Amino acid sequence: MTSIRRLMLVSLIGTMSVVMAVAGYFSYRAGLQEAGEMFDAKLAHSARVLVSLVDQPLDELVAHGPAEPLTINVWHGVAKGVGDDLVFPTGHAYETKLAFQVRDTSGRLLLRSDSGPDHALAPLQAGYRNVTIDGQNWRSFTLMAPSGYWYQAGELSDIRSELAQDIAFGTLLPLLIALPVMALLVWFLVTWALRNVVNLSRQIEQREADNLAALDLQAVPKELLGVARAVNGLMQRLDSAMKRERRFTADVAHELRTPISALKVHADNVCEARDGAEREEAQRLMQRSVTRLNHLVSQMLSLSRVDEGAGLRANVPVDMDSLVSHQVIEHRSIAAKRGITIELHSVPLQVAGDPIALDSLVRNVLDNAVRYTPEHGKVIVTVSPHESNARLEVEDSGPGIPPEARQRVFNRFHRELGTGVEGNGLGLAIVRSVLMLHRGRVELDASPGLGGLRVIAEIPLR
């Protein structure tokens, strides 16, 4: 599992280390370049000073002196360290790394320091040269004097490397010493910055399973505010789902008690019937209770499914005219037993929604219309466009619903008294839930043509 703290610590400390290493490399390169420029200038300066000091005397000395070259002794000794550790009253430890030579036009050695090699430090050509002599790398400068003598000043290249290393080490040493302190400071700052994340995790972890209250967002950092809000939204949805489940369970327990009790009584009556007529009547009543119970369970399952959009597919293309025509055909066979006619007027319209939920909507509206329409009555079903909606109108010639009761009938298990029609009070509740999930609306009023109830349901067109 990835740790944000570990990732930040490794990234920050690793980045600082890499930056220091790169800085050390460029410090070394810059020090080497600066040392080279400085020592090149010193070589040229030393050669010119040597010319000014010995050129004329050397010319006279060579003309009257011995054929052997003159040798200048330098300081020889062993010294380690830096700075003053290399300085002595009689000289400097780096004198052994410096050398000079004077040669005539034929290349004969006239003058040399005993710190350098016997043969030429470089070809007799003016300028700088990098040469390897006896396995050592030398940097030399050659200058021709007016007398015609060649003056060469040279130094071992390791002087430059040592100076560059000293510069780079001097630059990096404070950073290397500060790296553990910086790592500790980064660890503290990262831990401090993530304290609210830890507190949020602890707040969620320590909650009881039934505690679905919203998280406190006061101390949540801005970067986690979206996550915390999403968790709060999830808790709110879970709380709503649990409340729905508890309400549904209570409704089921309440509504199923009476029909199941009645069914048990009728079953007992069938068993205890004294003759065939009494048994036949008990069986008829039992069959009626079974039908009512089956209808109630079916309605409650439909309501549970559409309640708050549980498992709905709200973007499926649905042909409203075909769906309504199918339901009208099914209900005509039921209505014909009571002499009720169902008249359909529809045009092709398509909406986006859940086919099963919309089918349940149409079935419940038609079921209510047929149930409350008296014998030899009439039901008119119309599917038509209205502005940007598909409108479903179902009118019947039944008793209708008084205006003051038209909102109450959408409540679950609510039934108006005195209708004389069996029902469970869930049909219009299902209709309203389906329409809410499809961003539609439902309206009840009096049928202008049949005098009963008119149900108007509108769903946005696809």
Side-chain angles (χ1 to χ4, degrees), residues 148-343:
Y149 297 143
W150 291 95
Y151 289 80
Q152 293 182 323
E155 64 182 8
L156 288 172
S157 298
D158 57 1
I159 298 180
R160 304 180 182 217
S161 300
E162 290 176 9
L163 181 60
Q165 291 172 3
D166 291 342
I167 294 174
F169 184 73
T171 302
L172 283 181
L173 182 60
L175 297 178
L176 293 175
I177 295 175
L179 184 60
V181 179
M182 294 174 65
L184 183 61
L185 183 61
V186 167
W187 176 85
F188 173 78
L189 290 176
V190 169
T191 302
W192 181 81
L194 295 177
R195 70 193 188 284
N196 290 327
V197 178
V198 176
N199 292 336
L200 180 63
S201 301
R202 187 179 297 115
Q203 182 182 354
I204 297 175
E205 184 179 2
Q206 294 177 351
R207 284 198 167 207
E208 297 295 336
D210 57 349
N211 183 7
L212 297 177
L215 297 172
D216 183 12
L217 302 181
Q218 294 295 328
V220 177
K222 184 184 298 182
E223 291 76 10
L224 290 178
L225 194 58
V227 176
R229 285 175 177 168
V231 171
N232 281 346
L234 176 61
M235 288 186 174
Q236 184 178 6
R237 292 192 297 272
L238 286 174
D239 187 48
S240 299
M242 292 181 67
K243 288 178 179 178
R244 288 197 309 271
E245 294 299 326
R246 287 193 292 266
R247 185 173 65 246
F248 180 74
T249 302
D251 291 342
V252 168
H254 179 268
E255 292 300 320
L256 291 181
R257 184 180 297 113
T258 299
I260 290 177
S261 298
L263 182 61
K264 183 178 182 301
V265 170
H266 296 320
D268 292 340
N269 290 338
V270 169
C271 296
E272 298 173 0
R274 291 169 294 185
D275 53 35
E278 190 174 336
R279 183 180 296 105
E280 192 173 309
E281 176 64 16
Q283 288 177 341
R284 185 184 68 80
L285 293 175
M286 185 173 67
Q287 180 64 35
R288 181 178 176 183
S289 295
V290 170
T291 302
R292 181 185 176 188
L293 183 61
N294 179 69
H295 181 69
L296 175 60
V297 171
S298 176
Q299 291 288 78
M300 295 187 74
L301 290 176
S302 296
L303 181 62
S304 175
R305 182 178 182 277
V306 302
D307 196 11
E308 298 297 333
L312 290 182
R313 300 174 297 162
N315 294 319
V316 178
V318 179
D319 294 323
M320 280 299 295
D321 54 317
S322 300
L323 188 148
V324 173
S325 297
H326 176 73
Q327 286 295 333
V328 167
I329 293 172
E330 286 191 357
H331 282 78
R332 274 177 177 164
S333 59
I334 300 173
K337 296 179 181 179
R338 299 172 51 213
I340 299 173
T341 60
I342 301 178
E343 189 176 302

